[in-house]
Amino acid sequence: MQEATFLILTALAAQPRHGYGIIQSVEALSEGEVKLRPGTLYGALDRLASQGLIAVEREEIIDGRLRRYYQLSHSGLDALAEQAQRLRKRGAAAEAQLRRRPQLSGGAA
């Protein structure tokens, strides 16, 4: 799963969000490292919806513009939980390898 997909699903884990809310949440979750552009986000949302990982929760008109709120589906929740578990395992493996690395003298890496 690509990082942006993981972050979009994570942004929707706690509550439904509209597009701009997802963009803000992804930026906060990634500590500013991932900044989704609207075109990228909506392409990803269409793909995730077609895969059954998210669904439209509701739509409303705000200032004459349609605002669509998305939520995780049961499949999306399962996919996110599985990916989070995979990342925990990979992180633990990396940390174990780093602990095994011999200490180098002189501050060289």
Side-chain angles (χ1 to χ4, degrees), residues 52-53 72-80:
L53 299 176
L72 278 183
S73 66
H74 292 295
S75 295
L77 183 62
D78 291 344
L80 179 59

Side-chain angles (χ1 to χ4, degrees), residues 53-101:
L53 299 176
I54 65 170
V56 174
E57 188 254 349
R58 71 181 186 276
E59 295 177 334
E60 59 187 23
I61 304 292
I62 304 290
D63 296 328
R65 297 183 63 189
L66 179 66
R67 181 178 286 176
R68 188 171 286 147
Y69 287 79
Y70 297 88
Q71 65 182 4
L72 278 183
S73 66
H74 292 295
S75 295
L77 183 62
D78 291 344
L80 179 59
E82 288 171 14
Q83 183 67 10
Q85 179 63 27
R86 270 195 292 279
L87 291 172
R88 275 192 295 277
K89 287 180 183 178
R90 300 304 181 269
E95 289 173 354
Q97 291 300 311
L98 287 168
R99 284 191 297 274
R100 294 180 60 195
R101 180 181 170 92

Side-chain angles (χ1 to χ4, degrees), residues 6-12 22 24-32:
F6 177 75
L7 290 169
I8 291 167
L9 295 178
T10 302
L12 294 173
I22 295 170
Q24 290 177 309
S25 182
V26 164
E27 188 170 345
L29 289 165
S30 70
E31 297 178 336

